[in-house]
Amino acid sequence: MHRFFIFLYYLISKNKLLSVFFSVGIAILCLFFASKINFEEDINQIIPKNEKSDLTAKVLKQLNFSDKIIVIIENRSKEENFQLSETADAFLNQIEPLQKYIGSVQGKVNDSEISETFDFVNQNLALFLNENDYKEIERKLQKDSIAKQVENNYVSLVSPTSLVTKEFIKKDPLGITFLGIKKLNALNISKDFKLEDNYIVTKDGKNLLLFIDPKNKSNDTKNNETFVNQLNTIKENLNTKFKEKTEISYFGSPVIAVANAQQIKKDIQNTVIISMTVLLLILIYYFRNVFTPIIVFLPTVFSVLLALLILYFVKDKISAISLSVGAILIGITIDYALHILTHYKHNNNIEELYKEITQPIILSSATTAVSFLCLVFVRSEALKDLGLFAAITVILSSVTALIIVPQLYHPKKKEKAVNANFIDKIGSYPYEKNKPLIIICSIIIIACLFGFRKVGFNEDIGDLNYIPKDLKISEAKLQKLSDITSKSIYTISYGDSEEQALTRNSELSQFLEKEKKEGKILSYNSLGNVVLSEKDQQQRIENWKKFWDENKKNQTVSELIKNGNQFGFNSSAFDQFNENLNKSYSTLTLKDYEKVKALQISEFLSQENGFYTVSNVVKVDEKKRDAFIKNVEKKHDALA
């Protein structure tokens, strides 16, 4: 093995200028391809995966709740009648140029959306009613109940709000539609808010919330970074404009993901710079010159560039977390150059030098590289990339050190005697002869054998995230306002077709309702009673037909007309209601539900490459959490 390096040494020595150009050319080539590498900045890449977690990752990739940015507009004004909507309007105007990053903005409800939702439920009423609703309708159909309802309708129509209520009463004089609309409450993530000036505000009116749904997923930090930076600029401008009136802050996983990505890059840069600076200072102090430490670092720099070149052709993208090992690699890889340099210092014969050090250095780097390569067999993508990058760098650093160091370092034949420094003294001290030190070390080792079992590990995967101080403040604000940021359990039904996913979710929704009644969960939000499978829709249509027989229809309309005449209603006032009773209902498709903007179906239901997921949000007591998760996954085709 050493003969090859001896041959290379003489070859390079005879062609120094050509070798320099060749080395610079390789370095430029490596830098070019290294700049083309697609670095993945997703912190979740460090999480191990198995068959179940692969399915979990596939499901979570389609989970839309977690990708929102929550905008908090807080009232800081001393004026009693200050409107938060003024700041909200200004904010919405400011983000208009950012539409290429924004899928939608929720939090402002238009009157047209309210009418649209009412009409949708009214026109498909049979699909929104369950057995309990029919019991309530039966009560409403009593003669005295109809008389009372018609009287209430008359009072509403002659009041100042008649412009709003007129159309609702005309379409549904008995208010049956509102029984169906109640089902939409199951889609509300929180009940701690109200509508004011068409915006969602807290019940005390002091905070207004907007929800931005970015077009890019939260782990797409490359595109989201520009978006988040521009949002921060808008926030600062509006906070200055509305100083002492309102304050805007943000919270959400896309913002946290960008903060994580920026912190990862910053940490890598800082650790590498700090380690290189400290090592350079130590080496300069030890060797008493600047040139020698630079020689020591050259093989490491070259091996890192070559490793990145190889990785470019081996992998499509690399986890940025894998580069965090850079500071450690510097410490490991400069050892090879130091070994060569130290041996060369005491043995000026180049052939003897290679005979002595080639095999030990190659074997040493090989064993270290194999240790890192073991990470390739773990199920964490980030650790796989780290292991591959570190192994390639280590093995290449030993080879480049054997080539570069003997070429650039030439020890003087007669070294001047120099005073030993503290590093020499530390290195030359006979530790093995110090009995008190041996006893102390032995005691520490024995103590560790008894104590290592008591070491605890943080099992909260959320602590992987780096959350800046301003985002922690925003999170604390939200926690005071609502349970919207509290830890929820997502129960997700999935399937290879829309029908399969919806059928499974209907079963899961019934289970969640049962768990809530038994007090095993606190609350849940689900599509289960709103978007039904075709089979369940057909069943509800049959229930409607069974309930509304011809006799009941005629009797109900007759009672409405009779009581309406007493208040001056003409006979045609109830024609539209009569049409709804006699219409032939049909099943709806997912596209029909998605047309109604206020339903926000896309928040719960997602589809990608023929894989469908339906999400539910469950709030459960911490003590009952594990039992609930096991119960869901055991009894249903769902993930929790």
Side-chain angles (χ1 to χ4, degrees):
M1 191 182 288
H2 64 276
R3 291 189 183 90
F4 171 73
F5 288 100
I6 293 170
F7 168 75
L8 270 182
Y9 175 82
Y10 288 123
L11 182 66
I12 294 169
S13 297
K14 290 175 184 177
N15 303 279
K16 287 183 179 179
L17 190 62
L18 183 63
S19 299
V20 169
F21 283 117
F22 181 73
S23 301
V24 171
I26 290 176
I28 292 170
L29 187 70
C30 291
L31 283 168
F32 173 76
F33 283 108
S35 66
K36 300 291 181 182
I37 291 176
N38 183 17
F39 288 105
E40 198 164 30
E41 297 164 348
D42 184 7
I43 193 77
N44 293 321
Q45 288 294 308
I46 204 167
I47 300 171
K49 294 178 181 177
N50 51 37
E51 188 176 341
K52 181 187 173 183
S53 64
D54 285 342
L55 176 62
T56 304
K58 189 178 178 182
V59 167
L60 289 179
K61 189 180 178 183
Q62 295 180 206
L63 188 64
N64 294 326
F65 291 120
S66 56
D67 283 334
K68 292 196 181 303
I69 296 174
I70 304 170
V71 182
I72 312 160
I73 302 176
E74 186 180 2
N75 192 342
R76 292 291 183 91
S77 175
K78 294 177 181 177
E79 301 173 25
E80 288 186 12
N81 298 321
F82 180 77
Q83 299 295 314
L84 288 169
S85 57
E86 184 182 345
T87 306
D89 289 336
F91 177 80
L92 292 176
N93 289 332
Q94 292 266 335
I95 64 171
E96 277 297 320
L98 304 180
Q99 290 306 308
K100 64 178 179 179
Y101 300 109
I102 299 172
S104 63
V105 180
Q106 298 157 23
K108 187 174 184 179
V109 181
N110 298 318
D111 293 336
S112 60
E113 290 180 22
I114 296 172
S115 297
E116 180 188 44
T117 306
F118 181 90
D119 289 344
F120 179 76
V121 176
N122 180 254
Q123 292 300 311
N124 300 282
L125 191 53
L127 305 178
F128 288 88
L129 301 176
N130 56 30
E131 290 180 12
N132 292 329
D133 294 325
Y134 285 114
K135 291 177 183 177
E136 177 65 18
I137 294 170
E138 193 69 64
R139 188 190 64 76
K140 284 176 175 284
L141 297 183
Q142 299 298 317
K143 290 184 179 182
D144 57 338
S145 295
I146 291 177
K148 184 66 177 174
Q149 185 63 46
V150 172
E151 183 182 350
N152 291 339
N153 290 345
Y154 174 76
V155 172
S156 296
L157 288 171
V158 296
S159 71
T161 60
S162 62
L163 289 173
V164 179
T165 59
K166 181 181 178 181
E167 286 301 314
F168 293 162
I169 291 171
K170 187 178 178 182
K171 293 171 183 175
D172 183 10
L174 292 179
I176 297 172
T177 303
F178 293 104
L179 294 174
I181 287 175
K182 280 183 180 179
K183 305 297 183 299
L184 305 185
N185 289 334
L187 305 181
N188 295 334
I189 302 299
S190 179
K191 298 178 176 64
D192 298 326
F193 303 99
K194 65 178 182 179
L195 276 180
E196 188 176 284
D197 295 329
N198 288 358
Y199 283 103
I200 295 174
V201 298
T202 50
K203 286 183 178 178
D204 61 6
K206 292 183 179 179
N207 294 273
L208 183 151
L209 298 186
L210 295 170
F211 302 86
I212 299 175
D213 187 13
K215 285 183 178 177
N216 301 309
K217 291 287 185 181
S218 59
N219 59 2
D220 187 3
T221 53
K222 195 172 185 180
N223 290 313
N224 282 338
E225 186 170 6
T226 306
F227 174 46
V228 170
N229 288 339
Q230 290 186 47
L231 275 182
N232 286 330
T233 303
I234 291 170
K235 177 183 74 173
E236 289 165 9
N237 292 339
L238 290 178
N239 282 345
T240 303
K241 182 180 178 181
F242 293 96
K243 192 176 182 182
E244 296 182 357
K245 289 185 177 181
T246 57
E247 183 180 70
I248 297 176
S249 54
Y250 303 134
F251 186 77
S253 60
V255 186
I256 294 172
V258 168
N260 272 285
Q262 291 173 338
Q263 192 63 34
I264 287 169
K265 287 184 274 191
K266 188 178 177 182
D267 287 345
I268 291 169
Q269 290 169 0
N270 288 345
T271 52
V272 170
I273 289 169
I274 290 168
S275 63
M276 285 190 72
T277 304
V278 172
L279 287 169
L280 267 173
L281 290 172
I282 292 171
L283 291 172
I284 289 169
Y285 171 76
Y286 180 74
F287 289 106
R288 290 177 171 79
N289 68 70
V290 177
F291 185 64
T292 304
I294 292 172
I295 294 172
V296 171
F297 273 101
L298 268 178
T300 297
V301 174
F302 228 88
S303 61
V304 168
L305 291 174
L306 286 167
L308 290 173
L309 173 67
I310 293 168
L311 286 174
Y312 173 81
F313 291 103
V314 172
K315 301 205 74 176
D316 296 331
K317 51 188 175 182
I318 303 165
S319 172
I321 298 168
S322 64
L323 299 186
S324 61
V325 76
I328 301 168
L329 286 178
I330 290 170
I332 294 171
T333 54
I334 66 167
D335 284 351
Y336 306 127
L338 285 171
H339 281 305
I340 297 167
L341 195 143
T342 306
H343 276 78
Y344 202 11
K345 199 173 181 181
H346 297 96
N347 186 355
N348 291 334
N349 188 310
I350 195 69
E351 293 188 11
E352 288 294 325
L353 173 72
Y354 276 119
K355 283 180 184 178
E356 287 180 10
I357 64 170
T358 302
Q359 191 171 350
I361 283 180
I362 295 295
L363 286 175
S364 174
S365 65
T367 53
T368 307
V370 167
S371 299
F372 278 117
L373 276 175
C374 290
L375 292 174
V376 173
F377 299 102
V378 302
R379 290 185 174 270
S380 165
E381 287 302 316
L383 292 180
K384 281 182 181 180
D385 292 346
L386 188 151
L388 196 59
F389 172 65
I392 295 170
T393 303
V394 166
I395 200 74
L396 286 175
S397 65
S398 64
V399 175
T400 52
L402 285 166
I403 295 170
I404 294 172
V405 174
Q407 290 291 340
L408 298 179
Y409 180 72
H410 300 288
K412 295 176 183 178
K413 292 183 179 180
K414 289 185 179 180
E415 294 278 357
K416 292 181 180 179
V418 291
N419 295 326
N421 54 41
F422 79 94
I423 297 175
D424 291 315
K425 291 176 182 177
I426 292 171
S428 60
Y429 183 81
Y431 296 98
E432 72 282 359
K433 294 179 181 179
N434 190 324
K435 290 183 179 180
L437 183 62
I438 293 170
I439 292 168
I440 291 168
C441 289
S442 300
I443 292 169
I444 292 171
I445 291 169
I446 293 167
C448 289
L449 289 173
F450 287 100
F452 81 95
R453 295 178 184 276
K454 296 180 181 179
V455 175
F457 294 95
N458 187 353
E459 296 178 353
D460 187 355
I461 205 164
D463 287 344
L464 280 174
N465 284 316
Y466 162 75
I467 303 179
K469 188 178 179 181
D470 60 327
L471 289 180
K472 285 183 178 178
I473 293 170
S474 298
E475 184 180 23
K477 284 181 186 177
L478 279 172
Q479 285 174 341
K480 286 181 181 178
L481 301 178
S482 163
D483 63 357
I484 200 167
T485 59
S486 64
K487 290 182 180 177
S488 304
I489 294 176
Y490 294 98
T491 57
I492 305 156
S493 302
Y494 55 87
D496 295 324
S497 68
E498 177 188 312
E499 180 69 13
Q500 186 183 45
L502 289 173
T503 301
R504 288 175 174 177
N505 193 64
S506 293
E507 294 170 1
L508 180 60
S509 183
Q510 291 170 17
F511 167 76
L512 293 175
E513 183 62 30
K514 179 172 169 285
E515 292 284 289
K516 184 182 176 183
K517 286 179 180 177
E518 293 176 1
K520 293 180 181 179
I521 63 174
L522 303 174
S523 63
Y524 73 95
N525 308 99
S526 173
L527 273 181
N529 289 321
V530 179
V531 182
L532 306 173
S533 65
E534 187 176 351
K535 180 183 175 183
D536 290 335
Q537 289 184 58
Q538 288 286 7
Q539 182 59 52
R540 289 201 174 185
I541 291 170
E542 289 302 316
N543 292 343
W544 172 274
K545 290 178 180 177
K546 186 178 178 181
F547 180 82
W548 289 105
D549 55 45
E550 287 301 319
N551 182 50
K552 189 172 286 185
K553 289 178 190 176
N554 294 332
Q555 188 177 343
T556 301
V557 174
S558 176
E559 281 296 318
L560 283 170
I561 294 171
K562 175 185 168 184
N563 286 280
N565 289 336
Q566 296 176 20
F567 293 96
F569 290 102
N570 59 45
S571 58
S572 63
F574 306 104
D575 286 353
Q576 196 165 345
F577 177 69
N578 190 31
E579 286 177 17
N580 285 346
L581 288 181
N582 289 285
K583 74 177 288 187
S584 179
Y585 288 97
S586 59
T587 58
L588 299 174
T589 64
L590 188 58
K591 288 182 179 178
D592 294 322
Y593 287 103
E594 288 175 340
K595 288 176 185 176
V596 185
K597 189 178 178 182
L599 293 182
Q600 297 294 334
I601 297 300
S602 60
E603 298 297 309
F604 294 86
L605 201 149
S606 183
Q607 183 270 137
E608 189 173 317
N609 299 325
F611 184 73
Y612 292 79
T613 59
V614 187
S615 310
N616 309 278
V617 185
V618 182
K619 301 288 182 183
V620 63
D621 188 273
E622 188 72 22
K623 294 176 183 176
K624 299 177 181 177
R625 187 189 66 170
D626 292 340
F628 172 76
I629 291 172
K630 287 178 183 176
N631 213 3
V632 168
E633 295 189 344
K634 184 180 179 181
K635 295 181 179 179
H636 301 273
D637 290 311
L639 288 174

